Amino acid sequence: MDSLRLIPVDRAPDSQPCCRCAEDKGHWDLIAGKPYCPNCQESLVVGEAEPLIERTRKHRCAVCSRIGTLDYLTFPLQSETPVAMELCSEHLRSLLGRRLGTYAYQQLRRQLRALGLRARDLFLLHDAFYDSNGRALQPAIQLE
């Protein structure tokens, strides 16, 4: 199984309310199969929400190839075809927090390009959050 892949449209999950706040306004990202709205993702990252506790799977991270990942599924902007990524806890936190390192950003960008997508097509990798070299421009602030 590829660590970063497109999901066929006919196998795409239906829109579901956020598992934390029940907001129901579209296709939310899925983490370990559960839908999270952007506000609840942000709350997780900054430490305002209950922590995310899920069992990891024995798959390799799309960034570092470490075994022990959570499945992250997102819908590219203006698309009904979702992208699934296997990410270790470090890279999942960094992606959600808009603070991937340049190497991690470039790894994801390269793999997305192989699928015919641009990094900017994914909300959390958009140009508003990363420059062309992959430096984080607007990382979510983590509480100390």
Side-chain angles (χ1 to χ4, degrees):
M1 172 189 295
D2 292 330
S3 295
L4 193 145
R5 62 202 175 282
L6 291 173
I7 303 296
V9 173
D10 62 339
R11 293 186 45 222
D14 293 329
S15 177
Q16 301 172 35
C18 177
C19 69
R20 296 271 174 123
C21 71
E23 182 73 40
D24 192 13
K25 290 188 178 174
H27 281 290
W28 302 135
D29 295 345
L30 275 69
I31 302 171
K34 296 177 184 171
Y36 287 83
C37 72
N39 290 335
C40 288
Q41 287 182 27
E42 182 93 5
S43 293
L44 278 170
V45 170
V46 298
E48 294 174 350
E50 291 294 317
L52 176 69
I53 301 172
E54 296 289 343
R55 185 176 296 270
T56 60
R57 298 170 11 153
K58 293 182 181 179
H59 295 157
R60 294 194 177 275
C61 176
V63 174
C64 66
S65 296
R66 185 178 307 142
I67 293 177
T69 63
L70 289 177
D71 192 46
Y72 175 75
L73 188 135
T74 189
F75 287 84
L77 302 171
Q78 314 303 319
S79 177
E80 294 295 317
T81 304
V83 174
M85 300 179 208
E86 299 291 335
L87 295 169
C88 66
S89 60
E90 173 189 345
H91 290 115
L92 178 62
R93 275 192 305 272
S94 295
L95 176 67
L96 295 178
R98 302 181 312 266
R99 55 180 170 72
L100 286 167
T102 55
Y103 172 80
Y105 175 86
Q106 296 297 347
Q107 282 289 91
L108 293 177
R109 185 171 128 178
R110 181 184 56 78
Q111 292 177 59
L112 287 165
R113 193 176 17 220
L115 296 175
L117 295 170
R118 297 170 303 182
R120 75 176 86 167
D121 294 334
L122 300 184
F123 177 73
L124 290 174
L125 297 176
H126 194 271
D127 295 346
F129 302 131
Y130 292 93
D131 70 13
S132 61
N133 294 314
R135 285 186 286 259
L137 300 173
Q138 295 185 46
I141 299 169
Q142 280 196 283
L143 300 176
E144 298 295 322

